[in-house]
Amino acid sequence: MYPVFNPNQIALTPFLFFTGKGGVGKTSTACATAVSLADQGKKVLLVSTDPASNLQDVLDVELTNDPVAIPSVNNLFACNIDPEASAKTYREQVVGPYRGKLPDAVLATMEEQLSGACTVEIAAFDEFSHLLSDEDVLNQYDHVLFDTAPTGHTLRLLQLPTAWTGFLEESTHGASCLGPLSGLGEKKELYAKAVGSLSNPEKTTLILVSRPDVSSLVEANRASSELKDIGIENQILIINGLLQSHRSEDKVSTAFYERQRRALKETPDALKQVVTFSLPFVSYSLTGVDNLRHLFSSYTITVFEDDSLSTDPIQLPGLNKVIADFSSKNIRVIFTMGKGGVGKTSIASAIAVGLSEKGHRVHLTTTDPAAHLAYAFEGSVLGENLTISSINPEIEVEKYKQEVLSTAGEGLDEEGLAYLKEDLESPCTEEIALFRAFAEVVEKSENEIVVIDTAPTGHTLLLLDSTEAYHKEMSRSTGDVPESVKKLLPRLRNPEETGVVIVTLAEATPVLEAARLQEDLKRAQIDPKWWVINQSLYATDTADPILKGRAVSEKQWIKKVSEEFAPRCAIIPWLHEEKIGYNKLKEFIL
């Protein structure tokens, strides 16, 4: 279908940026590429800027901010930059001078503005800007590989002159998750040089990594488009984890294979124009140098001889236990949370159906722009206790942007307005806009259980909360927190009213990112009640040697979730068919 990606057979630029949503295999692909290039005799530096990086687990060596030689691979060096630590330094640079001069509530708002994902990304960009701009690095290494790439939003923001003027120090619209950047003025030249290197096709290649599933292909398309818009046009796409064949007698294997092929047929048209390669779905865990080498040099299936599936099996309940728990405790607001592609919509739909079957009046709402919810109930008659609505993210975000521009934008010059508009492109803007819409739905549904597919992060909740405190302190503020939001925030913190379900897959990146999400929520005084491990091969009876091998590798992550992270944990097997329609969703929870 697609040629297999092999670094030995492709001319690659000095800088290689790997990007894609969590769990698609960026780290393993970057590591395998780095090992392959080093084995060719190239001197290679591998850099991770992912806060949840498992780079040292993959390479089986302790890493720091400074490059260290990988003992088992000549010519390969790696470092694990900690952007969280860099972001902390950033925050103190900006907030420090105001301590003792501004009210505590104002300082709290400033600190929260500097606690979001965008700030971490800016801090990471600061770290690898030095690598992109340092001639010594170019002279020392043939290739520098970055595990994670900056978003188009971050790069566009850094190209705007106003980003360096301290504009945000005076901004009170409350949408920013970047916070004041005035302390970075002296780095303007360095960043400009780094952005220049990124857009030079002779220096940089952007490697988009995607699974053969609809959500990660959509994300790859978005990243491709965003980065092309700012001049990063030298791109390739790797479809990672493509099952090469299937056993017709194995229902799981056949369904897995066919679902991947259907997803690939739905690849966005723009993404089809990008040069595309594939990597196989393999039976073994892509950790350790030997396995990384095996990925490119041979596709022979590792013989499956591991009996650890039957040894000390992990017993976890199904989704029916989650539903029974919420029903017995009469929880009124239920959020499903987690990274894209983990199955939040299906889980939210099943929970709503299960509760309605237990006699509760339930309202299910989503912000899924792909209308997955409509698809999940396609052609079926809803139970008498269930109603559904859909919040359109584009409409809600546009409404919120216009509200901010008409208030906070008043009186700004052309540059200030351009900065404000770009600041409103941040992920926090969408989260705040959608949370406001959710709050309105919850307020109108006092006599129903409301199940919400997707939810804001703890950072966004704290941003809204600190903005409210900020408004009390500073009457000059121009952005208002609606009453519905003010009511919902304390409600979400009440464990007798609200339940949060974190959905994950039994893989390294989704689990580590879900753990970080949980810490984020706890910071906002919200304790998730359940974790649901979705689409688990461990929980199936597949006999396919490739899928069974992967089931073994899931076991350590299932154990980690159930023993270390989750207060209560349920598991759902990888299903032979999608559960579409009310009656099929009922089957899902029996």
Side-chain angles (χ1 to χ4, degrees):
M1 183 176 264
Y2 302 108
V4 172
F5 178 71
N6 191 328
N8 298 316
Q9 299 164 4
I10 305 168
L12 294 172
T13 53
F15 295 121
L16 303 171
F17 278 86
F18 292 78
T19 190
K21 68 191 302 180
V24 295
K26 290 189 300 288
T27 300
S28 56
T29 306
C31 288
T33 302
V35 169
S36 178
L37 291 170
D39 284 347
Q40 290 178 50
K42 305 284 181 65
K43 195 171 182 185
V44 180
L45 175 61
L46 176 59
V47 183
S48 176
T49 55
D50 186 345
S53 172
N54 60 330
L55 189 63
Q56 49 200 27
D57 299 325
V58 175
L59 294 172
D60 196 26
V61 65
E62 283 297 317
L63 297 174
T64 65
N65 276 19
D66 300 313
V68 298
I70 306 302
S72 49
V73 187
N74 290 333
N75 303 313
L76 179 58
F77 299 79
C79 59
N80 202 359
I81 292 169
D82 182 359
E84 297 277 14
S86 302
K88 188 176 180 181
T89 303
Y90 249 45
R91 280 194 290 276
E92 197 47 42
Q93 277 180 350
V94 176
V95 178
Y98 298 102
R99 294 196 191 282
K101 298 177 183 177
L102 291 176
D104 288 346
V106 179
L107 293 175
T109 294
M110 291 175 71
E111 287 182 331
E112 193 49 52
Q113 283 182 321
L114 284 157
S115 294
C118 289
T119 304
V120 173
E121 193 177 290
I122 288 273
F125 187 73
D126 181 51
E127 297 285 359
F128 59 60
S129 287
H130 293 280
L131 295 169
L132 284 167
S133 310
D134 191 338
E135 293 297 329
D136 289 340
V137 171
L138 274 174
N139 294 332
Q140 191 176 353
Y141 297 101
D142 297 300
H143 296 282
V144 182
L145 283 65
F146 295 93
D147 173 21
T148 68
T151 64
H153 162 60
T154 297
L155 295 175
R156 285 195 309 272
L157 192 70
L158 290 171
Q159 288 175 310
L160 285 169
T162 316
W164 310 98
T165 64
F167 166 75
L168 273 178
E169 288 184 18
E170 299 159 16
S171 168
T172 58
H173 65 80
S176 173
C177 58
L178 287 165
L181 297 175
S182 60
L184 308 177
E186 71 277 6
K187 296 180 180 177
K188 187 175 182 181
E189 191 177 328
L190 172 71
Y191 284 9
K193 195 173 178 181
V195 172
S197 290
L198 277 169
S199 55
N200 183 342
E202 293 182 3
K203 282 188 172 184
T204 299
T205 303
L206 183 76
I207 300 176
L208 301 149
V209 184
S210 175
R211 295 282 189 194
D213 65 60
V214 173
S215 62
S216 55
L217 286 164
V218 167
E219 173 65 17
N221 184 58
R222 185 199 61 75
S224 173
S225 174
E226 263 199 356
L227 293 162
K228 274 183 180 174
D229 286 346
I230 52 171
I232 304 174
E233 297 187 5
N234 186 21
Q235 303 180 358
I236 65 173
L237 170 66
I238 296 175
I239 305 292
N240 186 33
L242 194 61
L243 195 64
Q244 305 296 299
S245 60
H246 65 96
R247 290 188 166 194
S248 56
E249 73 277 10
D250 189 295
K251 288 182 179 179
V252 177
S253 172
T254 300
F256 200 95
Y257 179 88
E258 290 176 352
R259 196 177 291 186
Q260 286 192 345
R261 264 60 190 175
R262 284 197 300 272
L264 290 175
K265 285 179 182 175
E266 294 181 40
T267 301
D269 289 338
L271 197 60
K272 288 177 181 175
Q273 311 310 311
V274 178
V275 175
T276 304
F277 299 90
S278 68
L279 281 172
F281 190 97
V282 293
S283 60
Y284 47 87
S285 174
L286 284 167
T287 55
V289 169
D290 288 343
N291 281 355
L292 293 171
R293 283 193 173 112
H294 187 61
L295 183 64
F296 295 139
S297 63
S298 163
Y299 299 109
T300 306
I301 298 168
T302 303
V303 178
F304 180 77
E305 296 175 344
D306 196 321
D307 66 350
S308 62
L309 283 179
S310 55
T311 306
D312 189 26
I314 302 170
Q315 301 290 341
L316 293 173
L319 194 60
N320 56 335
K321 292 294 184 188
V322 180
I323 293 163
D325 182 49
F326 287 148
S327 175
S328 66
K329 291 175 180 170
N330 199 27
I331 299 298
R332 309 308 296 166
V333 182
I334 299 166
F335 281 102
T336 57
M337 300 186 69
K339 296 299 178 183
V342 296
K344 294 187 299 291
T345 303
S346 298
I347 302 301
S349 301
I351 289 172
V353 167
L355 288 168
S356 70
E357 284 292 302
K358 287 184 177 291
H360 300 281
R361 287 176 53 81
V362 182
H363 184 77
L364 171 63
T365 188
T366 183
T367 58
D368 192 336
H372 190 177
L373 200 58
Y375 175 66
F377 290 92
E378 188 177 27
S380 68
V381 177
L382 300 182
E384 61 180 18
N385 291 323
L386 178 63
T387 55
I388 294 175
S389 68
S390 181
I391 294 167
N392 188 313
E394 289 185 9
I395 292 173
E396 295 299 332
V397 170
E398 191 55 36
K399 187 167 76 176
Y400 179 66
K401 284 180 184 176
Q402 292 307 316
E403 183 184 316
V404 171
L405 287 169
S406 66
T407 52
E410 191 177 349
L412 292 177
D413 60 18
E414 192 175 334
E415 273 194 8
L417 205 56
Y419 185 93
L420 178 56
K421 285 178 178 176
E422 181 52 49
D423 184 40
L424 286 168
E425 295 300 317
S426 89
C428 272
T429 297
E430 181 169 331
E431 281 199 3
I432 288 171
L434 294 181
F435 187 65
R436 285 158 51 116
F438 280 143
E440 289 172 16
V441 171
V442 173
E443 191 171 44
K444 289 175 187 172
S445 305
E446 290 290 334
N447 300 315
E448 299 174 310
I449 294 174
V450 182
V451 181
I452 300 174
D453 168 31
T454 72
T457 63
H459 162 64
T460 299
L461 296 173
L462 277 171
L463 191 62
L464 282 163
D465 201 25
S466 61
T467 303
E468 185 184 343
Y470 184 40
H471 292 177
K472 291 175 188 171
E473 201 72 51
M474 306 288 285
S475 58
R476 67 187 176 89
S477 175
T478 53
D480 289 320
V481 176
E483 280 301 314
S484 57
V485 172
K486 290 178 184 177
K487 286 180 188 172
L488 186 54
L489 281 168
R491 191 172 184 180
L492 291 185
R493 290 174 173 143
N494 182 352
E496 294 181 4
E497 285 192 83
T498 298
V500 171
V501 178
I502 291 182
V503 186
T504 187
L505 305 178
E507 299 172 17
T509 302
V511 167
L512 294 172
E513 289 187 344
R516 200 162 74 228
L517 174 63
Q518 179 163 267
E519 286 307 308
D520 196 22
L521 288 167
K522 285 182 175 178
R523 203 161 51 89
Q525 300 163 46
I526 295 170
D527 285 316
K529 284 186 163 56
W530 282 88
W531 280 47
V532 173
I533 299 169
N534 197 21
Q535 301 172 30
S536 170
L537 288 167
Y538 178 86
T540 69
D541 58 356
T542 181
D544 183 290
I546 296 178
L547 299 184
K548 204 167 181 182
R550 186 58 69 87
V552 171
S553 70
E554 283 187 4
K555 191 172 180 180
Q556 64 169 312
W557 295 106
I558 294 170
K559 204 167 183 180
K560 195 170 188 68
V561 168
S562 59
E563 293 180 2
E564 294 182 32
F565 296 138
R568 301 183 72 181
C569 184
I571 193 165
I572 299 171
W574 198 95
L575 298 170
H576 299 192
E577 61 173 355
E578 287 186 273
K579 299 298 182 185
I580 297 167
Y582 188 91
N583 288 329
K584 286 286 186 184
L585 282 162
K586 268 203 301 187
E587 291 175 15
F588 188 21
I589 54 179
L590 292 175

